[in-house]
Amino acid sequence: MSSWIGSPSDAEPRGSVRLETPIAETQIADLDLDEALLPDLLSDIVPVGENPTEGIERDALGNPIDDNPKVAASAAQPTRSSGSPRTNTLKAPPLDPSLTRDSRFGPIPGPNTDGLTPLRAYQSQPVPVGDRSPVALIVGGLGVQSALTRRTIDELPPEVTLSFAAHAPGLQDWIDRARAAGHEVLLEVPMESETFNANEPGADRAMRVGASVSDNRRNLHHLLSRAKGYIGVINYNGDLFLRRSDVVAPVLAELTASGLGFVSDGAFDTPSLSALSASVNLPFAEGFGLIDPQPDPQIIQSRLDALTIAAKDEPGLIGVGFAYPQTIDAVKGWTATLAAEGLILVPASASLK
């Protein structure tokens, strides 16, 4: 049994609607392009055929909980960037699990039972200097910006020592990649300055003037535990901390116990630092100063020129810079001039005493 709702005449056709011709299959065939014509946006960091999300640990909601995904891990595979190719003649010694000691955060650097230290084990092979005067260069602030970190590792000569921010994500992968490219590596430890910003990344683990010896030691151990393969530590800031002998001395003693070296960037005067380091048998070097206090090409070139002149009279000087694009470009040009100036570039470890 059925009934009509409304008038049957309402269903009569009273007009027409024009339909577009369906899109033929051949019209969308262009979307199925040869893969060789499509850009691979991850080609420089993910090997062909590898799924960068495979193996990432996830929580109950499917969110990644590993702060070091496989995309970052692929950084350990050196790739050649668009910069000038250079030959890697320096071989990185393999990581040695015996060169550690225990801490509440896991293994941190330490001498092994034979007395071998991480500094001696992981330093680059000596560069024969002949009759030329050695000069060293450290480029730091690495691991924070991936593109600039890759450029620095891949484009600068392996004799340039690289320093990585201790709080950088994927730190071990970056260090592995740098060492595979022949670079000697330092760990950048934040230290309190007169303009200290407690909200800056990594500041929660900074060496502080007002902190107790145990608090500074604990924070240092945390930073040292984040990776292996570095030869020593370099300061990040620290004009307040490094000028206080009473608070810096225990930190230097911890670096000695870890079998590491220490480089001060030389951006400010630290009159007692050399003597304090010697008193705890810590291999130490003071940098010539920053080559890039501002990322200005003219300033950078002027500082590099000054380093060149000074290094002729004082063999083993160390210039220090950051991974600014302008610095990378200037350093590439500067290193090409050293032979003509009677200088030779050496890793920073060669200047430690």
Side-chain angles (χ1 to χ4, degrees):
M1 179 175 158
S2 62
S3 63
W4 292 100
I5 298 176
S7 171
S9 64
D10 289 343
E12 296 177 2
R14 297 181 181 177
S16 62
V17 176
R18 182 176 179 273
L19 298 177
E20 297 290 343
T21 303
I23 300 175
E25 185 175 348
T26 56
Q27 290 179 275
I28 61 174
D30 287 345
L31 296 178
D32 189 23
L33 295 175
D34 187 322
E35 64 178 4
L37 300 178
L38 298 175
D40 183 358
L41 301 180
L42 296 178
S43 62
D44 63 334
I45 57 174
V46 180
V48 174
E50 180 173 331
N51 178 2
T53 64
E54 186 180 83
I56 298 178
E57 189 178 356
R58 298 178 183 275
D59 61 19
L61 299 177
N63 299 311
I65 59 177
D66 186 353
D67 63 356
N68 184 19
K70 230 173 183 181
V71 169
S74 67
Q77 305 297 323
T79 59
R80 181 63 54 226
S81 70
S82 59
S84 303
R86 80 297 194 267
T87 302
N88 173 16
T89 59
L90 303 180
K91 302 296 183 181
L95 294 178
D96 185 344
S98 75
L99 296 172
T100 58
R101 57 191 181 120
D102 293 332
S103 81
R104 65 186 295 179
F105 305 104
I108 61 175
N112 65 15
T113 55
D114 295 326
L116 179 65
T117 64
L119 167 59
R120 299 307 173 199
Y122 299 140
Q123 66 183 12
S124 295
Q125 299 171 9
V127 175
V129 299
D131 59 355
R132 290 190 280 172
S133 182
V135 62
L137 188 70
I138 298 169
V139 174
L142 296 170
V144 179
Q145 294 189 25
S146 296
L148 288 176
T149 301
R150 285 195 297 270
R151 274 200 67 194
T152 304
I153 293 172
D154 295 345
E155 295 183 23
L156 296 187
E159 293 83 4
V160 174
T161 298
L162 304 183
S163 67
F164 289 81
H167 69 277
L171 180 61
Q172 187 65 65
D173 295 314
W174 286 123
I175 289 178
D176 290 346
R177 175 170 176 159
R179 297 182 72 246
H183 296 282
E184 207 170 62
V185 173
L186 294 168
L187 188 70
E188 227 165 75
V189 170
M191 300 180 181
E192 188 175 2
S193 66
E194 293 185 2
T195 58
F196 182 74
N197 179 2
N199 296 318
E200 190 172 32
D204 58 327
R205 296 290 182 178
M207 303 296 100
R208 302 289 302 273
V209 168
S212 66
V213 170
S214 60
D215 283 346
N216 277 334
R217 181 185 295 114
R218 182 176 63 251
N219 284 337
L220 180 63
H221 284 185
H222 177 272
L223 298 174
L224 296 179
S225 74
R226 297 210 64 239
K228 302 177 182 68
Y230 49 90
I231 66 159
V233 161
I234 187 171
N235 62 298
Y236 176 74
N237 292 330
D239 53 296
L240 193 61
F241 182 80
L242 289 177
R243 287 170 171 158
R244 284 281 302 273
S245 299
D246 55 329
V247 294
V248 75
V251 171
L252 300 183
E254 277 298 313
L255 295 180
T256 299
S258 292
L260 300 171
F262 178 52
V263 178
S264 168
D265 63 20
F268 44 85
D269 293 332
T270 52
S272 62
L273 200 52
S274 178
L276 279 175
S277 298
S279 70
V280 294
N281 298 313
L282 176 65
F284 171 76
E286 183 171 4
F288 182 70
L290 298 181
I291 63 170
D292 51 4
Q294 296 155 7
D296 180 286
Q298 291 185 332
I299 293 176
I300 296 170
Q301 189 58 55
S302 175
R303 295 296 181 97
L304 287 172
D305 290 343
L307 176 60
T308 297
I309 294 170
K312 294 178 181 181
D313 296 325
E314 299 179 59
L317 289 182
I318 305 175
V320 181
F322 291 99
Y324 300 125
Q326 299 89 336
T327 301
I328 297 171
D329 292 338
V331 168
K332 287 167 64 177
W334 175 74
T335 58
T337 70
L338 294 181
E341 295 289 346
L343 301 176
I344 185 168
L345 190 63
V346 298
S349 62
S351 298
L352 290 172
K353 299 176 181 178

